[in-house]
Each structure stands twice: as structure tokens, then as C-alpha cells.
Amino acid sequence: KNNKTKDPNALIFPVARIRKICRLDPDVKNLSKEAVLLVTKCAELFTARLATETNSMAQMQKRRKLIPRDVHDVTSMKEPFLFLKDDIGDLIIQQQNEEKRNGGGSHNGKGKKKVSDK
């Protein structure tokens, strides 16, 4: 086999982090290794589907850049994601409030404000 060929079943998300997140639920006492691997794979598949739908939303608006509103639109319109609608809406409001507190403006994608030419 070629070493550059990736295993399609390989996990991307850190399994230890997913285990910690699962343990935040007070009802969860013990998790088998197999259960954590299954939850991790499910989280990856769910995230990939959300990303695909979000990308489609941006493409429908003839944009290549994804914006938070695209995620909100997907979670507001697509049945598998409706349970996230309120939480994503709250996150967008929180993000907008933080931008207002920090002076707003556009960012260069690296967390720094762009310097406007005057």
C-alpha cells in the first residue's frame, strides 16, 4: 500500500477530548473504548454533513466564503439540524455583541482588525 493513502475509517477528532465531553454528562459513569470511538465517528459525520449543508447555503447565495449566518440558516431550515437552531442563534448574537464591545469592524481572518487606508 502507498503510505500516502489515508484510511477512510481513521478518526479526525481527538478521541480523548470526546471522552471528556461525554463525561460532562452526570448520567455517564463509564464509557467503553468502542462507545467512545462510535460517538467520535458520529460527531465527525454530523459535522461533515453540517459543513456540506452550510457550504451549499453559501453557494446558493453565490458566495464562496462561509459566514455564521449560513450555519444559522441551515439549522433553521434543515430538519436534521433544527435542534441546534436556538443555540446557533444565541452564539451569533453573542458573537455580534462581542464585536460591538470590541469596536466591530472587519477582521483579516487571523483575529486582527484590518487597517483601513485613509
Side-chain angles (χ1 to χ4, degrees), residues 35-70:
V36 175
L37 293 174
L38 183 61
V39 170
T40 302
K41 190 63 177 179
C42 289
E44 289 178 2
L45 293 171
F46 179 83
T47 304
R49 175 108 184 261
L50 178 59
T52 300
E53 295 289 344
T54 301
N55 187 48
S56 295
M57 194 64 63
Q59 287 178 346
M60 284 191 286
Q61 297 176 19
K62 304 207 184 315
R63 283 185 287 104
R64 290 175 41 148
K65 182 178 180 179
L66 303 180
I67 58 174
R69 185 74 199 175
D70 296 327

Side-chain angles (χ1 to χ4, degrees), residues 16-116:
R17 175 85 40 95
I18 300 297
R19 180 182 293 277
K20 284 182 181 180
I21 292 169
C22 290
R23 286 187 175 161
L24 291 174
D25 185 336
D27 294 334
V28 174
K29 303 289 184 239
N30 293 317
L31 291 166
S32 69
K33 181 179 179 181
E34 293 81 13
V36 175
L37 293 174
L38 183 61
V39 170
T40 302
K41 190 63 177 179
C42 289
E44 289 178 2
L45 293 171
F46 179 83
T47 304
R49 175 108 184 261
L50 178 59
T52 300
E53 295 289 344
T54 301
N55 187 48
S56 295
M57 194 64 63
Q59 287 178 346
M60 284 191 286
Q61 297 176 19
K62 304 207 184 315
R63 283 185 287 104
R64 290 175 41 148
K65 182 178 180 179
L66 303 180
I67 58 174
R69 185 74 199 175
D70 296 327
V71 179
H72 184 264
D73 289 346
V74 169
T75 59
S76 297
M77 292 186 246
K78 302 284 185 166
E79 178 64 35
F81 306 105
L82 290 177
F83 74 98
L84 291 172
K85 179 183 176 183
D86 293 337
D87 292 326
I88 296 296
D90 291 345
L91 285 172
I92 290 175
I93 291 169
Q94 181 182 356
Q95 184 182 38
Q96 290 169 345
N97 290 339
E98 287 175 7
E99 286 177 2
K100 286 177 185 175
R101 273 195 306 266
N102 294 333
S106 59
H107 295 271
N108 65 4
K110 296 179 184 172
K112 298 178 182 176
K113 286 187 180 180
K114 289 181 182 177
V115 178
S116 61

Side-chain angles (χ1 to χ4, degrees), residues 10-15 40-41 44:
L11 297 173
I12 299 167
F13 290 176
V15 177
T40 302
K41 190 63 177 179
E44 289 178 2

